[in-house]
Amino acid sequence: MFKIAMVGYGAIGIATLTLLARRTDLAVTTVLAPAARLDAARERIKPWAAQAAVHASLDTVAQRPDLLVECAGHGAIVEHVIPALRAGIPCVIASVGALAAPGLAHDLEQAAIAGGTRVQLLSGAIGAIDALAAARHGGLERVIYTGRKPPLAWSGTPASTLFDLPALTEAAVIFEGSAREAAAAYPKNANVAATLALAGLGLDQTRVQLLADPGVQDNVHHVHAQGAFGEFELTMRGKPLAANPKTSSLTVYSLVRAICNQVEPIVI
């Protein structure tokens, strides 16, 4: 049995547990949660992962996991992912936008090297990551990402202070700048921008435009890339996760795919 430790039990974590529950070749055996919320975490995950032990740290886990999966937000990377990598446990990260923080990508790399393992960054809500990463090796010149979401999906972000989001009648540009700036200003909404940047031109050279658009009901991602390889444009209209409209449901499916690929005999 392939043993998984999951950091977090929020909307993405619960949706992932639901999809993994039918697997017989792998299981979430550990869920990591804040020390003050261990009992709440046990109750929340019970319907889908009753076998999972809930801990505040890997230090108290009896069974060493084969993989650690982060879906708890940016702070979990420093608290849980880096120590796991140093201990030689491979990791999968959903909160890719966290890597915009100065030095964090370097710290992850060094931890993985020290532990003789690796960390995988999820493609999440966006596609064509393989094409973008391949194009980088042949001369990538320009990458522009445009993200559109319904106005209320930007609630609780800096856009709330700039615009009366419920009253918008037309699309409003709430951010323009680099992927690094986007990930810093909109950490729960800009994982896609950071993922594209890390696969392509980097956080400072990838351009980002974010819009609050009352004309859309889905999360709309558009990528335009140019270089020696040629040119491509990709538009994806992702259904938001019912439990968290800031997140595309494809993020969950991407996480499940990354986990299942660990045990599949043929991987694409």
Side-chain angles (χ1 to χ4, degrees):
M1 178 68 68
F2 189 83
K3 299 182 293 296
I4 301 159
M6 178 176 289
V7 186
Y9 56 98
I12 294 176
I14 294 300
T16 300
L17 287 175
T18 303
L19 292 172
L20 292 178
R22 59 177 178 260
R23 301 285 300 210
T24 59
D25 52 352
L26 55 80
V28 176
T29 55
T30 302
V31 172
L32 298 179
R37 301 177 186 173
L38 297 183
D39 290 339
R42 290 187 185 98
E43 287 301 313
R44 183 159 166 79
I45 68 169
K46 187 184 296 184
W48 304 277
Q51 79 286 348
V54 180
H55 292 266
S57 168
L58 275 181
D59 293 338
T60 59
V61 175
Q63 283 191 314
R64 176 187 172 94
D66 300 303
L67 178 73
L68 183 138
V69 174
E70 175 277 317
C71 54
H74 298 182
I77 294 178
V78 173
E79 184 176 358
H80 298 293
V81 175
I82 288 179
L85 290 172
R86 288 177 180 150
I89 300 170
C91 297
V92 172
I93 287 179
S95 303
V96 180
L99 273 65
L104 185 53
H106 176 266
D107 291 345
L108 277 175
E109 181 181 19
Q110 292 304 305
I113 292 172
T117 187
R118 65 174 55 184
V119 56
Q120 178 183 351
L121 310 182
L122 285 186
S123 56
I126 194 67
I129 294 299
D130 55 344
L132 192 63
R136 180 179 62 184
H137 294 285
L140 189 58
E141 298 168 1
R142 186 183 188 206
V143 179
I144 301 173
Y145 165 67
T146 303
R148 294 176 182 267
K149 294 186 181 184
L152 293 183
W154 300 105
S155 298
T157 73
S160 298
T161 61
L162 298 173
F163 299 92
D164 183 358
L165 294 174
L168 287 178
T169 58
E170 58 184 25
V173 176
I174 62 172
F175 174 85
E176 282 187 291
S178 70
R180 187 183 302 277
E181 293 166 336
Y186 293 85
K188 294 184 179 180
N189 291 275
N191 278 333
V192 169
T195 302
L196 289 165
L198 291 167
L201 287 177
L203 290 160
D204 297 310
Q205 297 303 315
T206 302
R207 307 309 299 169
V208 174
Q209 185 180 70
L210 303 177
L211 297 97
D213 189 348
V216 301
Q217 294 182 330
D218 302 327
N219 299 336
V220 183
H221 308 287
H222 180 82
V223 185
H224 183 196
Q226 291 176 294
F229 73 97
E231 180 176 3
F232 77 75
E233 290 191 58
L234 170 74
T235 299
M236 297 185 67
R237 292 177 173 84
K239 295 294 184 183
L241 195 61
N244 182 4
K246 293 182 175 65
T247 300
S248 292
S249 57
L250 190 61
T251 299
V252 173
Y253 307 142
S254 174
L255 181 54
V256 171
R257 172 180 177 266
I259 294 170
C260 292
N261 275 355
Q262 305 292 321
V263 297
E264 299 290 355
I266 300 176
V267 175
I268 297 178

